[in-house]
Amino acid sequence: MNHHDTIAAIATAIAPEQGSVGIVRLSGSKSEVIARSLFHNSNNQIWETHRILYGYIKHPVTKEVIDESLMLIMKAPRSFTREDVIEFHCHGGIMPVQRVLNLCLEQGARLAEAGEFSLRAFLNGRIDLTQAESIQELVGAKSPQAAQTAIASLQGKLAHPIRQMRAKCVDILAEIEARIDFDDDLVPLNLDNLLRDLQEVTDQAHTLMATADRGQLLRSGLKIAIAGRPNVGKSSLLNAWSQTDRAIVTDLPGTTRDVVDSQLIVSGIPVTVLDTAGIRATEDIVEKIGVERSLISVKSADLVLLVIDAQIGWTDQDQEIYELITDLKTDGDHPIILVINKMDLPTYPPILPSVFEKKPIVYTAAALAQGIDQLELAILNSVHQGSISSANLEVAINQRQKASLLTAVQALERVLGAIALPLDFWTIDLREAIHALGQITGEEITESVLDTIFSKFCIGK
Ligand code: GDP
């Protein structure tokens, strides 16, 4: 990939239907020349940086008007990529933006690769790697909390502590290496201070690592299946749940509503409730197909809510469904929450199989929208031992960052354990920790790692 070409791409989402505005973006030294060959504005508007001009984009040869547009000029280094950037704000819809993009390409720009604008912003020092990753996370966020976490890292709230930790390790390494080289001329190492500093960095790394699970949940969300025999109140439960104000039902553009899966947000976690109404033990061939389909759904779920009727108690059919579900899970320890519904009716305490002594049980009256809070709490507890709400860090690291932090922590713990050994032994592990921390922010990174990270971006980012 040549990082000196002028690149161009459509920067806004392209839907088959028309949007109101579509942006074509250019970045690189030829941006302005290309723009001048295409854009025609009235004479009293001066081409200067950080200005928006109004005019027409015309074919350079035929002078045919391609679109009426606004043009934004951002000269290097005051732009996202730190290169000359031009944006054409065209009419939305595929045709205007596509034609304007084609003209840019004809005039010498190259079509940007996925994430190439962000890659340039990174390579030119405008953003670090955690910020680049957070852009992608922000764009893909499916809940307000996921977006908030992404914004926090975009603001450098992850990069900052990582840089500090790394700087501290570099200082310690310098101290140690000085002793190895010129031992006689220097005051002896203050081991207590050094160990304290190392321990501090290690603790900080552990704290950040603990945010990874939350990060994973915020990004990927949870799939939950509601199972139970007919008439126990599954639909009523889903209805009541969808209508609580914390569980905002999202109607994402582009998602088809014909599938019966519902989208909810629980404590910031995007939750997909799978349609698994069909699970029951049956001999009917046609019905069996439906059951099979539901079972496949359950298999893909992270969590199953098994609903029973409080007034009727545990029945043979409940037992059959329970067995169908648990048979699916080879690990045998798949989270199941037992939901005992219709608690508003006169009931006896149901006699449950002994497996439920160790499983979470929630009592609801779905028809009265009661018990939803407890249900959500039980869900959060079972996926994350309750630490989601208690995690008070704004950022949540991703899996790549977690892997590097883990390498750093392991190396630091080896340093802490090597205290009785000669100093040379310490430096190897300390260097590894420094390297791993540097990989998170991108201070130390290889081309291939960059490729993997940025290729996950969409074109135009
Ligand atoms: P599903 O077949 O499991 O989806 O069950 P439904 O949600 O359709 O509910 C079956 C019947 O039980 C309906 O008549 C509901 O009104 C009633 N029902 C559901 N939840 C409750 C509840 O909490 N209390 C009472 N009294 N009735 C309920």
Side-chain angles (χ1 to χ4, degrees):
M1 200 189 303
N2 183 334
H3 298 312
H4 300 289
D5 293 345
T6 294
I7 49 174
I10 299 168
T12 38
I14 315 169
E17 319 86 65
Q18 59 191 31
S20 51
V21 179
I23 297 177
V24 174
R25 177 152 71 171
L26 283 161
S27 178
S29 55
K30 282 192 277 180
S31 298
E32 190 174 340
V33 178
I34 295 171
R36 280 190 188 274
S37 72
L38 302 175
F39 191 77
H40 300 262
N41 58 304
S42 69
N43 291 333
N44 55 13
Q45 290 184 323
I46 317 158
W47 282 58
E48 58 186 12
T49 189
H50 292 81
R51 228 192 134 110
I52 295 177
L53 306 186
Y54 165 78
Y56 289 90
I57 295 171
K58 295 185 185 172
H59 192 283
V61 180
T62 64
K63 300 298 175 205
E64 178 197 1
V65 174
I66 304 298
D67 199 8
E68 176 193 24
S69 111
L70 293 174
M71 184 184 71
L72 171 58
I73 310 167
M74 288 167 286
K75 301 274 280 179
R78 287 174 58 210
S79 73
F80 176 55
T81 55
R82 292 220 162 136
E83 302 173 331
D84 285 351
V85 168
I86 299 272
E87 283 182 8
F88 295 116
H89 294 222
C90 309
H91 286 100
I94 185 75
M95 275 311 135
V97 281
Q98 193 73 63
R99 292 176 81 200
V100 171
L101 173 66
N102 285 345
L103 286 183
C104 293
L105 301 181
E106 279 167 30
Q107 294 306 109
R110 159 169 75 72
L111 186 63
E113 298 195 19
E116 201 171 354
F117 290 92
S118 304
L119 176 63
R120 287 187 178 193
F122 166 73
L123 291 174
N124 296 329
R126 166 74 172 66
I127 52 173
D128 81 299
L129 211 47
T130 64
Q131 290 172 309
E133 288 177 302
S134 68
I135 293 173
Q136 187 67 351
E137 281 163 19
L138 181 58
V139 173
K142 292 192 196 69
S143 79
Q145 287 83 345
Q148 207 51 46
T149 316
I151 286 282
S153 348
L154 186 57
Q155 288 177 303
K157 289 184 182 172
L158 174 59
H160 183 68
I162 299 277
R163 275 213 201 84
Q164 279 185 331
M165 289 155 66
R166 184 167 178 273
K168 208 174 249 180
C169 292
V170 170
D171 284 348
I172 297 170
L173 181 66
E175 288 276 325
I176 295 175
E177 292 200 319
R179 296 310 184 293
I180 295 173
D181 295 340
F182 324 97
D183 196 14
D184 303 337
D185 313 331
L186 293 169
V187 287
L189 271 182
N190 183 333
L191 260 192
D192 285 345
N193 282 352
L194 191 145
L195 286 176
R196 193 201 54 218
D197 285 353
L198 277 175
Q199 191 61 54
E200 238 174 65
V201 176
T202 314
D203 292 347
Q204 223 177 336
H206 275 295
T207 310
L208 282 173
M209 259 177 20
T211 66
D213 289 349
R214 179 168 158 267
Q216 177 78 7
L217 281 172
L218 286 177
R219 285 174 197 110
S220 325
L222 271 182
K223 281 192 193 167
I224 297 182
I226 304 184
R229 55 188 186 78
N231 279 320
V232 290
K234 298 179 298 297
S235 331
S236 309
L237 186 70
L238 182 55
N239 269 342
W241 197 7
S242 311
Q243 279 154 21
T244 60
D245 45 6
R246 269 172 308 122
I248 313 153
V249 181
T250 54
D251 214 346
L252 296 174
T255 56
T256 43
R257 298 295 283 167
D258 56 322
V259 286
V260 223
D261 297 347
S262 310
Q263 299 292 333
L264 306 173
I265 294 171
V266 177
S267 196
I269 302 169
V271 170
T272 307
V273 184
L274 306 169
D275 172 43
T276 46
I279 298 183
R280 59 183 149 272
T282 176
E283 291 309 314
D284 184 289
I285 306 253
V286 179
E287 227 176 89
K288 261 193 172 152
I289 298 170
V291 174
E292 284 297 317
R293 209 181 291 148
S294 294
L295 285 174
I296 291 169
S297 241
V298 168
K299 199 165 184 167
S300 74
D302 303 296
L303 182 73
V304 181
L305 308 181
L306 176 57
V307 187
I308 65 165
D309 185 326
Q311 215 181 18
I312 300 176
W314 188 260
T315 65
D316 290 349
Q317 227 186 330
D318 295 321
Q319 181 69 29
E320 279 166 7
I321 293 172
Y322 172 74
E323 281 165 16
L324 280 173
I325 295 168
T326 42
D327 278 356
L328 285 174
K329 305 294 181 184
T330 40
D331 54 17
D333 195 25
H334 200 72
I336 291 187
I337 296 176
L338 183 67
V339 179
I340 305 183
N341 188 38
K342 306 196 188 180
M343 285 306 290
D344 54 308
L345 300 175
T347 58
Y348 308 97
I351 299 158
L352 298 169
S354 58
V355 284
F356 287 105
E357 280 163 20
K358 285 195 231 85
K359 293 198 190 296
I361 299 177
V362 178
Y363 299 90
T364 58
L368 307 175
Q370 285 170 5
I372 304 295
D373 287 359
Q374 288 85 331
L375 176 64
E376 291 193 351
L377 206 61
I379 290 169
L380 294 177
N381 279 333
S382 78
V383 293
H384 208 257
Q385 278 84 48
S387 56
I388 291 170
S389 44
S390 64
N392 49 11
L393 283 181
E394 283 179 80
V395 292
I397 62 171
N398 65 28
Q399 294 304 306
R400 182 193 77 85
Q401 295 157 351
K402 183 185 175 185
S404 294
L405 266 178
L406 184 64
T407 308
V409 162
Q410 287 169 341
L412 288 170
E413 282 171 350
R414 283 198 300 276
V415 179
L416 286 166
I419 230 60
L421 300 174
L423 288 180
D424 309 50
F425 282 88
W426 300 21
T427 60
I428 302 168
D429 291 322
L430 204 46
R431 270 177 210 286
E432 186 173 344
I434 292 168
H435 179 70
L437 292 171
Q439 282 193 319
I440 299 176
T441 52
E443 282 160 286
E444 296 187 43
I445 199 87
T446 59
E447 189 86 18
S448 68
V449 176
L450 283 183
D451 280 352
T452 352
I453 294 171
F454 286 96
S455 62
K456 289 192 208 123
F457 279 55
C458 27
I459 308 268
K461 289 279 156 5

